[in-house]
């Protein structure tokens, strides 16, 4: 996979639901979980809301973002809570944390291939990543490493990616 084709379609499956959204390959994104050093795909929360249960979505909607981390145990969706992790991050001039969760499956669509990746966490960023919504997710720089790909297949002609 070439870095010059940096806009992809990302399909996130969780609890029988799926969302598809544009994501860019961010070669500077080396964000990992504290537990297991698992790569993190950062996605703006609004793009994920339809994927979550009503209980989880309600908690995130009704709880001020600055309290997501301290109050996340108040969420009534116990199955989702079992998949949640707190992810510390550092960016230019900022050091903070975001909530992340382990989805059932992640598929990255390129113009000619479809990759299912394993052992990845979705980090929920509380704001839009791009004001024009040209992308809603940031793929980490080693996402296409063999250690993360569980399957790869050629996409049929006529499939449109971006």
């Amino acid at each position: 996979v070439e870095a010059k084709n940096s806009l992809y379609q990302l399909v996130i499956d969780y609890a029988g639901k799926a969302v598809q959204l544009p994501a860019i390959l961010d070669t500077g994104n080396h964000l990992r979980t504290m537990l297991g050093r698992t790569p993190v795909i950062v996605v703006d929360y609004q793009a994920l809301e339809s994927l979550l249960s009503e209980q989880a979505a309600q908690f995130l909607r009704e709880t001020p973002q600055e309290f997501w981390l301290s109050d996340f145990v108040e969420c009534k969706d116990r199955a989702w809570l079992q998949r949640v992790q707190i992810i510390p991050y550092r960016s230019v001039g900022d050091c903070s944390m975001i909530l992340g969760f382990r989805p059932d499956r992640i598929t990255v669509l390129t113009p000619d291939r479809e990759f299912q990746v394993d052992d990845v966490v979705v980090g929920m960023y509380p704001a839009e990543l791009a004001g024009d919504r040209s992308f809603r997710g940031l793929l980490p720089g080693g996402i296409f490493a063999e250690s993360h790909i569980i399957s790869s297949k050629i996409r049929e002609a006529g499939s449109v990616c971006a």
Side-chain angles (χ1 to χ4, degrees):
V1 176
E2 297 179 29
K4 69 180 182 180
N5 296 325
S6 61
L7 184 63
Y8 303 98
Q9 289 297 307
L10 176 65
V11 181
I12 304 170
D13 291 278
Y14 174 69
K17 300 178 186 174
V19 294
Q20 182 171 333
L21 53 99
I24 61 170
L25 180 61
D26 180 2
T27 57
N29 174 2
H30 301 288
L31 187 59
R32 304 246 187 251
T33 62
M34 287 177 40
L35 301 172
R37 306 288 303 148
T38 305
V40 177
I41 297 173
V42 179
V43 177
D44 72 60
Y45 159 71
Q46 290 179 343
L48 296 169
E49 190 171 8
S50 66
L51 190 65
L52 303 176
S53 70
E54 181 53 38
Q55 294 164 319
Q58 180 180 2
F59 167 79
L60 295 170
R61 267 193 317 270
E62 295 178 359
T63 304
Q65 293 170 353
E66 61 268 19
F67 296 112
W68 281 6
L69 298 173
S70 61
D71 295 352
F72 77 94
V73 294
E74 300 299 320
C75 177
K76 305 289 187 232
D77 184 344
R78 298 296 172 212
W80 183 69
L81 285 177
Q82 291 179 348
R83 293 177 177 235
V84 168
Q85 294 185 37
I86 295 175
I87 305 164
Y89 73 90
R90 183 179 316 178
S91 63
V92 178
D94 188 25
C95 193
S96 191
M97 293 185 226
I98 58 175
L99 280 181
F101 71 98
R102 291 182 320 275
D104 294 331
R105 182 173 49 232
I106 295 278
T107 306
V108 180
L109 307 174
T110 70
D112 59 345
R113 297 193 73 82
E114 179 177 306
F115 297 91
Q116 282 193 17
V117 293
D118 192 18
D119 200 24
V120 178
V121 169
V122 174
M124 297 184 302
Y125 192 70
E128 290 185 344
L129 295 170
D132 63 358
R133 293 187 174 186
S134 56
F135 63 92
R136 310 291 301 272
L138 299 173
L139 299 171
I143 192 76
F144 295 112
E146 286 185 28
S147 61
H148 297 294
I149 295 175
I150 56 174
S151 72
S152 171
K153 65 180 181 180
I154 296 174
R155 297 185 71 204
E156 294 181 21
S159 295
V160 178
C161 178

